[in-house]
Amino acid sequence: MIVADQKPIEDIRKMLKGKKKVLAIGCGTCVAVCFAGGKREVGVLSSAVRMATELEGEPVQIDETIVQRQCEKEFIEHLGDQLGEYDAVLSLGCGVGVQTLADQFPGTRILPGLNTKFMGGPTEQGVWEERCQGCGNCLLEYTGGICPISRCAKQLMNGPCGGTDEGGRCEVDPDTPCAWFNIWERMDALDIQDQLMEIQPPKDWSTSRDGGRRKIVRKDLQKPKLDEGS
Amino acid sequence: MKEISNYEPQIIAFCCMHCAYAAADLAGSSRFAYPSSLKIVAIPCTGRTDMGHILKTFEDGADGVLVAGCLEGRCHFQTGNLYARQRVEHVAELLDQIGLEGERARMINISAGMGAKFAELANEFAKTISALGPTGLKKKPASRELPLPSGKIE
Ligand code: SF4
Ligand code: SF4
């Protein structure tokens, strides 16, 4: 899932300065399950900002709503009729949600209420960790299902770096397990540690961000076009 | 905040019905006085209170919110009161950030038999809130929830 965190109230107040009527829009998918932008969080944030701005003497009316998935046009289209009455929208979706709203409603000021952090998941109640950087050419096959791109501070392809401490923690952050220590343990348990003796070539980053903005086209799913001539 | 004579702070106490609610009842029947402006809302467990309830209570005009649960380790649902404490602490931080004093939200732990203690803690809280004075929030500003196109999302 996409994991996000709410922006500090102070930042949101600054963004909303001078606005009179704002619609806060949550998202019922990723950011709802990481408790950043679901219905409850929209309620709490809106309530806090309403009170803050009233105490400041410049009250902002904040209405609340939520859509099931803010990153798809079909789920947000219905909002079009109502946006006219608002000075701005405060999106509690991830960055994709914010941009989908902005693309769909170019005449409305769309503001981000969240800081989108990473792709990851919960590792214990109340804790989320990064697991994937969308490198575009997954190599989990070689690393026992543990991603060194997102979980090793140095993104090593042939680790560990030598800085791992005795407890198997990363030298960059002693609160984080060394990804390569984990990879070794995992592959040892699977009895495939000999695969680690094969040197991995440098990673081709052109499938990642380095190759520019990425796009997937699925011809099998695209809307068929009727041939005019037939 | 400003001192106001005859000011009666509006306090809402979310009381767990397994302990604090009974304690408040006992305080009443044993004639231990607590402020009449303290209104009690019975809840099945303090773990049921979420941050939204507490914030909206302030928006609706409360000057202080008390969340009263069982003694730690004695929660009917084991850890409901521990969750509640974390949330109340979080709300207090949020209140500080928005310009309201965090002391306006407080968690207390009490058992069903502690009627006198309930009155004592309620009076003490009322004193804190009286000293802080009204929140400065008028009536809850108009706001609404837009209807969903279909289905309900939680
Ligand atoms: S190797 Fe690439 S695609 Fe696979 S989990 Fe890591 S970052 Fe994601
Ligand atoms: S200690 Fe491990 S995780 Fe940390 S940088 Fe070195 S190899 Fe990567």
Side-chain angles (χ1 to χ4, degrees), chain B residues 71-98:
Chain B
L71 297 173
E72 293 193 357
R74 296 289 174 84
C75 170
H76 212 72
F77 303 96
Q78 299 195 341
T79 51
N81 53 354
L82 303 182
Y83 279 110
R85 177 170 294 281
Q86 290 173 194
R87 291 181 202 141
V88 171
E89 283 167 4
H90 194 95
V91 166
E93 280 170 25
L94 206 55
L95 291 179
D96 278 329
Q97 285 171 36
I98 65 173

Side-chain angles (χ1 to χ4, degrees), chain A residues 141-144 159 180-200:
Chain A
E141 165 195 359
Y142 306 109
T143 55
W180 276 100
F181 180 85
N182 287 350
I183 290 170
W184 175 266
E185 298 242 292
R186 173 80 53 83
M187 291 180 75
D188 190 40
L190 291 168
D191 208 15
I192 50 171
Q193 74 278 52
D194 54 310
Q195 289 182 13
L196 285 174
M197 296 308 151
E198 255 176 63
I199 302 292
Q200 293 300 323

Side-chain angles (χ1 to χ4, degrees), chain A residues 133-136 203-215:
Chain A
Q133 290 194 357
C135 74
K203 190 165 171 61
D204 173 3
W205 290 100
S206 66
T207 55
S208 184
R209 284 284 313 135
D210 302 40
R213 170 170 159 180
R214 293 169 285 175
K215 181 174 174 176

Side-chain angles (χ1 to χ4, degrees), chain A residues 106-122:
Chain A
T108 304
R109 189 80 206 276
I110 314 287
L111 302 166
L114 302 185
N115 287 325
T116 304
K117 294 285 173 83
F118 50 76
M119 281 191 269

Side-chain angles (χ1 to χ4, degrees), chain A residues 118-132:
Chain A
F118 50 76
M119 281 191 269
T123 48
E124 60 182 271
Q125 196 171 317
V127 178
W128 289 265
E129 284 183 32
E130 182 164 22
R131 284 292 180 266
C132 173

Side-chain angles (χ1 to χ4, degrees), chain A residues 53-194:
Chain A
T53 55
E54 195 192 332
L55 289 169
E56 268 179 347
E58 289 175 40
V60 182
Q61 175 182 333
I62 303 190
D63 292 350
E64 305 166 22
T65 195
I66 184 163
V67 293
Q68 178 63 55
R69 204 174 303 148
Q70 219 177 86
C71 55
E72 286 193 50
K73 188 175 142 200
E74 286 77 2
F75 289 86
I76 59 171
E77 270 169 339
H78 67 280
L79 294 167
D81 308 336
Q82 335 217 26
L83 293 187
E85 53 178 294
Y86 294 100
D87 302 327
V89 160
L90 180 66
S91 159
L92 267 76
C94 71
V96 188
V98 176
Q99 294 182 58
T100 309
L101 285 169
D103 289 341
Q104 181 72 20
F105 308 115
T108 304
R109 189 80 206 276
I110 314 287
L111 302 166
L114 302 185
N115 287 325
T116 304
K117 294 285 173 83
F118 50 76
M119 281 191 269
T123 48
E124 60 182 271
Q125 196 171 317
V127 178
W128 289 265
E129 284 183 32
E130 182 164 22
R131 284 292 180 266
C132 173
Q133 290 194 357
C135 74
N137 188 10
C138 192
L139 48 78
L140 290 173
E141 165 195 359
Y142 306 109
T143 55
I146 293 166
C147 171
I149 308 299
S150 56
R151 293 167 73 172
C152 164
K154 297 169 190 162
Q155 301 189 320
L156 296 181
M157 294 289 286
N158 298 281
C161 65
T164 318
D165 77 9
E166 277 171 20
R169 323 295 297 178
C170 172
E171 70 167 355
V172 173
D173 174 9
D175 286 337
T176 309
C178 164
W180 276 100
F181 180 85
N182 287 350
I183 290 170
W184 175 266
E185 298 242 292
R186 173 80 53 83
M187 291 180 75
D188 190 40
L190 291 168
D191 208 15
I192 50 171
Q193 74 278 52
D194 54 310

